[in-house]
Amino acid sequence: MGWRSVSSHKPGYLDGIVRTVDCYRAARSPSWMLGECIMSDKRAAAEMAGVSIVESVDANDHAGRISGWNMRMEQVSPGRFTGRLVMIRLRGLEIVRETTTQALLKQGSAWPDALVFSLPLAVSNPGYYNGRPLVFPHLLLSDGANLLPLLTSTRVDVVSVVVARNRLSRCLEALGETRAADFIAGLRGQQHFFSGPGLAGLQHGLRQLCDQGERLGPALGFEHVRRSLQDTLVGALADILSQNDWVDVRGCTAQKKTVDRIREYVFERVEDPPRIAELCRHVGVSRRTLQGCFQDALGLTPLQYLRTLRLNAVRRELRAVAATGQPVSIGDVAARWGFWHWSRFTENYRQLFGELPSHTVQRVTSASR
C-alpha cells in the first residue's frame, strides 16, 4: 500500500494562528514587545511555552525524547530507524508531531491526568491498536495514564494534542459545550476512535502549525498568541467531540488476548523459547487458529512477533550495559534471550536493525565517553 496523507490544500482550523505567526516574524512592534515584557505575571507562562525538535536513530532513544512521557517502543519492521519529534509546549497543553521510518510497538503513558488526541497525517500501511486495525485517518482519543499497545505503520507522520483533562473540561464548559465536557469528565481509562468530516481540516491545520518548527518559538513568547492557539485548539477538539462518530476501543479483542497470553508464556521461558506446538497446547488452539490470531491482532506471524520482541530485548540490554562502560559479552546476552546459533542471531539482528550487534555496542560506548 502506498503512502497515504491528507490533502495539503484544504482549509484548516489553525490557519489564522499560522498567519499571526507569519505577521509576527514580518514586523514586530517595539511597543507591543515592551507591553508584553513588563507583564511579569505572564512571563512565567511564556517561559513554559516553547518549541523543541529532536531526531534519533534508535527506537529506545526516540521513546525517551518525549519530555514527561514514559514510553516503551520496540522496532518491528526491518531496516535502520530514524525518528523526528516536533514538540510545541504551552501551559497545560502540548502538540507533538512524530515522524518515524519503521513500524514500532508502543505502550506507556503521557503526563499525569492528560488526554491524548492522536491524528495521523500520513501512513504507509495500516497499523493496529489493542488488536484492532487502525483506519486512516481516524482520530484516536486515549487516556494518557494508560496508552494501550499500538503497532504503528512502517512509515508514519502523526500529530498528538495532549491536554490536561480538567483544563479541557473547564474550557468546554465555558464554550457551552456541556455534552463534550461531560464526555471528557467521565473519560477514565477509556479509548475511542473518532471519524467524521472535521478531521481533514484539523489535519491540515496541525500540519501547517508544526511545519513552522522552531520559527514558532519566539511568537509563543506573546500571551495573545498562546491564548489564540489554545482557544483555537480547544474549539477544534470541541467540534470533534460533538460532531463526529466514535467507537469505544478500550477492550482488547479475543485474538489480542491470545497474543498476550502467548507473549507472557514465552517471556517466562526466554532462555529456551517454546516451539509453536507447545504454544498451541498452552492456549488450547490449533496452529491455524494461532496464526489467525496473530494476523488479526498484529498483521504478523507468531514467529515474526516473538523473535522481534526477543531481538529488541537483546538490543535494549546491549545498550544498557554498553552505556555503563563495562565490557559487553554479546554472546551471553543473546543466549539469555534464547539465541544460541551465533551466525543466525547476528543475521537476524542485522536484518531487523540495519546494523550488527557489535556496531550497536560500539556506537553506544563511543557516545557515553
Side-chain angles (χ1 to χ4, degrees):
M1 183 178 293
W3 181 249
R4 300 184 62 193
S5 63
V6 64
S7 172
S8 61
H9 70 274
K10 293 183 179 179
Y13 284 96
L14 306 178
D15 286 354
I17 301 299
V18 173
R19 286 194 295 271
T20 299
V21 173
D22 289 339
C23 291
Y24 160 83
R25 290 202 305 269
R28 290 181 292 175
S29 164
S31 60
W32 179 23
M33 295 175 65
L34 177 62
E36 288 280 347
C37 291
I38 63 176
M39 300 179 70
S40 59
D41 59 326
K42 296 179 180 178
R43 186 178 295 119
E47 289 172 351
M48 295 179 66
V51 179
S52 58
I53 300 175
V54 295
E55 297 180 348
S56 53
V57 294
D58 182 273
N60 290 283
D61 286 341
H62 184 75
R65 297 284 175 88
I66 311 179
S67 179
W69 293 45
N70 181 20
M71 296 296 297
R72 179 169 179 149
M73 300 185 187
E74 295 170 304
Q75 183 176 332
V76 176
S77 62
R80 288 188 177 272
F81 171 87
T82 58
R84 187 173 190 266
L85 293 164
V86 178
M87 294 170 283
I88 302 170
R89 299 178 305 278
L90 304 170
R91 177 181 289 180
L93 189 147
E94 184 177 29
I95 302 167
V96 179
R97 184 178 185 178
E98 180 182 14
T99 309
T100 52
T101 60
Q102 299 297 340
L104 300 175
L105 186 61
K106 305 164 63 174
Q107 190 170 7
S109 60
W111 31 273
D113 206 34
L115 294 173
V116 183
F117 296 80
S118 298
L119 185 61
L121 303 183
V123 297
S124 60
N125 55 284
Y128 293 83
Y129 182 77
N130 208 22
R132 295 176 175 83
L134 286 169
V135 179
F136 181 85
H138 286 185
L139 178 145
L140 173 62
L141 170 57
S142 303
D143 185 337
N146 182 26
L147 301 177
L148 298 179
L150 167 67
L151 178 60
T152 73
S153 63
T154 303
R155 292 185 297 150
V156 66
D157 184 0
V158 60
V159 177
S160 295
V161 179
V162 192
V163 59
R165 182 194 311 273
N166 292 339
R167 183 179 183 87
L168 178 59
S169 183
R170 289 195 303 269
C171 290
L172 291 172
E173 289 176 352
L175 291 172
E177 297 284 353
T178 55
R179 179 173 176 269
D182 291 342
F183 179 83
I184 290 300
L187 193 69
R188 299 284 176 176
Q190 298 184 35
Q191 323 286 326
H192 294 83
F193 284 155
F194 283 82
S195 61
L199 298 182
L202 183 58
Q203 282 176 314
H204 174 70
L206 289 171
R207 180 194 294 275
Q208 293 290 96
L209 183 70
C210 293
D211 281 347
Q212 299 290 315
E214 292 178 337
R215 296 172 296 173
L216 182 63
L220 294 180
F222 293 90
E223 193 265 344
H224 91 282
V225 174
R226 298 192 302 274
R227 186 174 60 244
S228 296
L229 177 55
Q230 290 173 329
D231 289 348
T232 303
L233 279 171
V234 169
L237 296 178
D239 288 345
I240 298 298
L241 292 169
S242 60
Q243 298 178 11
N244 291 267
D245 297 328
W246 56 267
V247 177
D248 188 348
V249 292
R250 170 178 39 178
C252 70
T253 63
Q255 293 87 342
K256 180 62 166 53
K257 290 178 181 178
T258 298
V259 170
D260 291 343
R261 288 180 61 193
I262 293 293
R263 173 174 177 152
E264 181 179 353
Y265 186 76
V266 168
F267 270 70
E268 290 173 352
R269 298 158 177 80
V270 292
E271 293 187 7
D272 186 18
R275 296 181 181 276
I276 291 295
E278 183 180 345
L279 297 178
C280 291
R281 287 194 299 271
H282 176 67
V283 294
V285 300
S286 69
R287 182 186 183 94
R288 178 175 295 182
T289 299
L290 185 66
Q291 294 273 0
C293 287
F294 275 82
Q295 286 290 343
D296 291 345
L298 296 167
L300 302 169
T301 68
L303 288 179
Q304 280 179 310
Y305 174 70
L306 297 172
R307 184 175 59 221
T308 295
L309 292 185
R310 291 189 294 123
L311 286 169
N312 275 273
V314 170
R315 184 176 179 85
R316 202 159 35 243
E317 187 171 339
L318 291 177
R319 286 170 45 84
V321 177
T324 67
Q326 300 176 11
V328 181
S329 173
I330 298 174
D332 288 349
V333 174
R336 270 197 296 276
W337 290 97
F339 294 103
W340 301 98
H341 193 290
W342 175 254
S343 61
R344 189 178 302 159
F345 158 70
T346 55
E347 179 59 18
N348 287 336
Y349 189 100
R350 185 194 63 78
Q351 287 180 353
L352 181 58
F353 300 115
E355 64 180 12
L356 293 170
S358 58
H359 294 163
T360 299
V361 173
Q362 292 168 8
R363 181 164 46 80
V364 175
T365 301
S366 299
S368 60
R369 284 174 182 169

